[in-house]
Amino acid sequence: MTDRQPSPPSPPLPPTLARATRAEIWRLIKPFWVSEEKWRAWALLGAILALNLGMVYINVRLNSWNRDMYNVLQSRDYPQFKSLLWQFSGLAFVFVAIAIYSVYLKQALQIRWRYWMSTRYLDRWLAHRAYYRIEQDQAGRLSDNPDQRIAEDLHALTTDTLSLVLGFISSSVTLFSFIHILWTVSGPLAFSALGQSWVIPGYMVWFVIAYATVGSGVVWWIGRPLVGLSFNQERFEANFRFGLIRVREHAEAVALYRGEAQERAQLTARLDDIRGNWWNIMTLTKRLNVAVNFYGQFAVIFPMLVSAPRYFSGAISLGVLMQISDAFGQVQDALSWFINAFTTLASWKASINRLAGFNADVERATGMPRSIEVASHAGTAVTVEGLQLSFPDGAPMMRRLDARVESGEHVLISGPSGCGKSTLIRAMAELWPFGEGRIGLPAGAPVMFLPQRSYLPIGTLRAALSYPAAEGSFDDALITRYLALCRLSHLAGRLDLAANWSQALSPGEQQRLAFVRVFLNRPSLVFLDEASSAMDGETEEALYAALPRELQGVTVISIAHRETLARFHDVRWKFLPEEAGKVGGFRVEAVPL
């Protein structure tokens, strides 16, 4: 019996990811080598290549040493035997030193390249809020799990690219260094066929070329589906990890819902994807290993088998026979670069495909057309001109809004759930591109947006309170004062404690902590998107009353459902269903309070 389950075929790759073009590959690899790091990068690469050439040179010397040693053994020349041992010791010492520093410099170049690439990709991902727009653009996405692209695929790109390029160069140099030796020492092969005499000069060279060509063709034919399987495996692994992280992040909610069975079912389904695709990889790898191992093992005896007639006829000595065998192995190994590197090539190509998709997503997100213009102006008011909001498919959400919010004015946005209140805030934050119109914000005015669910970075409480400013930006006395104002005095003694505060604090505490941030960062314009919905009514009213008192002249635009907050505002923007006979969406009326 076996626990293997029938596995469905792996889903096909999206057409745009099935094959990255040579231009896309070059576009991924080139930037580092022409950047401000180029001199260090090329110097390291040159040093690595020089060391690799040195290793090839020593292998050539060892090939000659191999011939001399076997001839000495055959002739029982003990003094020459001792001399050759000393010669080998010197070559071995130099070879070891070169091998150590070759790996060391290669690792140094890898981390430099990876660090440079990672910082650039982080900049592109975070710039223009691409990280947010990618997640919203589900229909057009080419890649999933952007975190994996930056963390793992860039690592694979830099590591595998260097490994493949250096391996190819080393194999090429080895090939040209040993093919001459093999041609010279193997000599001609004379035979009769079809009533004629034939002579093949350097016959071992032609044998090894034919042997490697057939082997490479068989390996490529068997292993070509491995690229797609590797791509899917990384995707399934990332989906499974993401599911585990989601359970950890929402542990309390899952526990309260008693949702363990459903979470296990979802995680098991993702694990089944991993297992099914892994079985396909196993099956393919088994076939590939059959070809590779037969190819490698037969290559051990093949040169001796072909050279044996000349040796036993006395045409060549034992030393020459061993030299031919070693040279054949070196040439065969060089010509087998594709076979030896095939698994790495498949993994590298899968990483290239994923990064190409990620690049396309970032470019689409940063270049996404925006019909809603958000711009700064010289005045002190927030202006809204001809603003209309739409769904991504073009369906109307909110009809035309023309409004003006003077400095120090407080606006309350109200209406039924799902009417577009939060979307209006997102449009003002330049997060919602669907619609048309113009939004004007005071130039140079500090702005803060508080969502219903606050973001709390993992780290010290002081860092969480200071966000988005850096930790240490505010005096502890000031932090303690505002903690007391927001009824969080019990946290004053925990400023240096590091924790996952989104799990350690209740929703109400998290929202009060967000208000502490507002008081510390002192913005001139505050947008509150149900930012007090988890608080009790008394605390909520106390914080709304504190805003104009602590932040003189602050402009507040807030969404709230409790009618008791109306007295802290000057104007209400009320979302109302469109009048009968008109096409969908909501209209907004401004009502003084």
Side-chain angles (χ1 to χ4, degrees):
M1 295 291 291
T2 177
D3 64 350
R4 179 174 180 177
Q5 302 294 324
S7 58
S10 298
L13 301 177
T16 47
L17 288 183
R19 181 178 298 173
T21 64
R22 282 179 293 180
E24 289 173 320
I25 294 173
W26 179 238
R27 185 180 173 191
L28 289 170
I29 295 173
K30 176 184 176 181
F32 174 69
W33 300 96
V34 296
S35 70
E36 70 283 356
E37 288 282 328
K38 61 183 178 182
W39 299 115
R40 291 188 182 92
W42 284 107
L44 280 171
L45 183 60
I48 296 167
L49 289 175
L51 291 173
N52 283 353
L53 292 177
M55 294 174 71
V56 173
Y57 171 75
I58 292 178
N59 282 329
V60 172
R61 291 286 305 273
L62 287 173
N63 179 261
S64 299
W65 179 92
N66 200 46
R67 176 199 60 204
D68 296 339
M69 174 57 77
Y70 277 98
N71 284 336
V72 164
L73 290 173
Q74 189 177 25
S75 63
R76 293 181 174 84
D77 185 348
Y78 183 66
Q80 186 64 21
F81 171 77
K82 289 191 296 181
S83 175
L84 287 173
L85 286 180
W86 282 109
Q87 184 180 348
F88 176 83
S89 299
L91 291 173
F93 179 81
V94 175
F95 186 90
V96 169
I98 289 175
I100 291 171
Y101 278 95
S102 176
V103 172
Y104 179 80
L105 294 180
K106 181 179 175 182
Q107 290 175 333
L109 182 54
Q110 285 173 355
I111 192 60
R112 281 184 176 275
W113 192 2
R114 181 188 178 188
Y115 184 84
W116 190 92
M117 291 281 285
S118 296
T119 54
R120 270 45 180 193
Y121 271 67
L122 283 173
D123 289 343
R124 294 184 59 210
W125 185 51
L126 295 174
H128 308 291
R129 300 182 178 88
Y131 62 93
Y132 175 83
R133 294 173 185 170
I134 287 174
E135 298 303 322
Q136 306 307 309
D137 185 25
Q138 296 294 328
R141 286 180 61 181
L142 300 176
S143 61
D144 48 47
N145 302 294
D147 52 305
Q148 184 192 32
R149 306 287 170 263
I150 297 173
E152 296 185 14
D153 288 329
L154 283 177
H155 179 213
L157 170 70
T158 54
T159 302
D160 291 347
T161 299
L162 281 177
S163 176
L164 292 169
V165 170
L166 293 174
F168 179 78
I169 293 174
S170 180
S171 294
S172 300
V173 174
T174 300
L175 175 63
F176 288 109
S177 299
F178 280 91
I179 202 167
H180 173 71
I181 296 174
L182 186 61
W183 181 282
T184 302
V185 299
S186 64
L189 176 65
F191 62 95
S192 299
L194 302 176
Q196 294 185 6
S197 297
W198 302 84
V199 177
I200 303 177
Y203 73 100
M204 289 295 291
V205 172
W206 305 112
F207 272 110
V208 72
I209 291 175
Y211 186 81
T213 301
V214 172
S216 298
V218 171
V219 167
W220 174 82
W221 178 71
I222 294 174
R224 56 184 175 174
L226 194 59
V227 174
L229 291 172
S230 297
F231 182 99
N232 285 326
Q233 190 68 22
E234 289 296 330
R235 179 159 59 95
F236 294 147
E237 294 281 3
N239 289 340
F240 181 58
R241 286 195 300 270
F242 181 73
L244 293 172
I245 292 171
R246 288 280 294 173
V247 173
R248 190 182 71 184
E249 288 181 343
H250 300 277
E252 182 177 356
V254 172
L256 291 173
Y257 275 114
R258 303 294 191 269
E260 293 84 3
Q262 179 64 19
E263 293 301 324
R264 189 185 190 284
Q266 293 183 14
L267 291 172
T268 302
R270 294 181 178 184
L271 198 56
D272 286 341
D273 290 337
I274 293 175
R275 180 178 61 172
N277 195 70
W278 187 254
W279 278 115
N280 291 333
I281 290 177
M282 286 173 58
T283 302
L284 182 63
T285 303
K286 181 177 68 175
R287 297 172 187 163
L288 193 60
N289 282 335
V290 169
V292 171
N293 282 291
F294 269 106
Y295 175 85
Q297 292 301 315
F298 191 61
V300 175
I301 63 169
F302 184 77
M304 291 188 178
L305 185 66
V306 177
S307 302
R310 299 191 69 214
Y311 172 72
F312 287 109
S313 69
I316 58 175
S317 65
L318 176 62
V320 173
L321 174 65
M322 301 311 297
Q323 186 181 21
I324 290 174
S325 178
D326 181 67
F328 182 95
Q330 294 283 355
V331 173
Q332 177 262 333
D333 191 59
L335 290 172
S336 303
W337 173 84
F338 177 78
I339 295 175
N340 298 330
F342 187 84
T343 302
T344 304
L345 274 169
S347 175
W348 175 81
K349 189 58 168 63
S351 297
I352 288 288
N353 290 341
R354 288 190 293 268
L355 287 171
F358 178 73
N359 273 340
D361 281 343
V362 171
E363 289 177 1
R364 177 184 292 112
T366 55
M368 186 181 294
R370 300 187 60 81
S371 301
I372 300 175
E373 180 185 356
V374 181
S376 301
H377 60 79
T380 59
V382 176
T383 59
V384 181
E385 302 173 7
L387 180 63
Q388 301 183 54
L389 302 179
S390 305
F391 291 98
D393 62 1
M397 180 188 302
M398 185 195 80
R399 294 296 178 181
R400 183 181 179 96
L401 172 63
D402 292 285
R404 182 181 179 89
V405 183
E406 298 295 342
S407 176
E409 194 171 18
H410 293 200
V411 176
L412 175 64
I413 303 175
S414 62
S417 296
C419 64
K421 303 186 298 296
S422 295
T423 305
L424 176 57
I425 296 292
R426 293 191 189 104
M428 291 181 169
E430 297 186 79
L431 297 181
W432 191 263
F434 308 108
E436 60 181 61
R438 178 183 172 86
I439 298 170
L441 300 178
V447 181
M448 284 195 74
F449 291 84
L450 267 63
Q452 183 177 15
R453 184 181 177 187
S454 182
Y455 169 69
L456 302 179
I458 296 175
T460 65
L461 180 60
R462 183 183 290 101
L465 287 163
S466 302
Y467 190 85
E471 181 178 4
S473 299
F474 306 106
D475 184 77
D476 284 2
L478 189 62
I479 294 176
T480 302
R481 174 174 177 266
Y482 285 127
L483 283 172
L485 176 63
C486 296
R487 305 188 179 187
L488 292 172
S489 296
H490 58 286
L491 297 179
R494 304 168 69 184
L495 294 180
D496 293 315
L497 180 63
N500 184 353
W501 294 104
S502 61
Q503 300 292 332
L505 301 179
S506 70
E509 288 176 315
Q510 293 181 45
Q511 289 187 340
R512 280 179 274 158
L513 189 149
F515 270 81
V516 175
R517 288 175 177 168
V518 171
F519 294 129
L520 289 172
N521 285 279
R522 308 192 67 79
S524 300
L525 179 58
V526 180
F527 293 85
L528 306 173
D529 185 1
E530 299 190 54
S532 58
S533 59
M535 301 180 197
D536 61 89
E538 181 184 350
T539 300
E540 183 181 46
E541 291 181 24
L543 293 184
Y544 266 86
L547 280 172
R549 186 176 68 246
E550 296 292 331
L551 306 176
Q552 296 292 326
V554 66
T555 303
V556 178
I557 299 177
S558 63
I559 299 173
H561 288 287
R562 290 194 183 105
E563 193 58 34
T564 54
L565 295 181
R567 65 190 181 92
F568 299 104
H569 297 82
D570 306 304
V571 179
R572 183 198 300 270
W573 290 353
K574 189 170 185 179
F575 278 68
L576 299 170
E578 189 55 273
E579 298 172 0
K582 294 189 176 181
V583 181
F586 286 79
R587 56 189 173 89
V588 180
E589 286 187 0
V591 181
L593 291 171

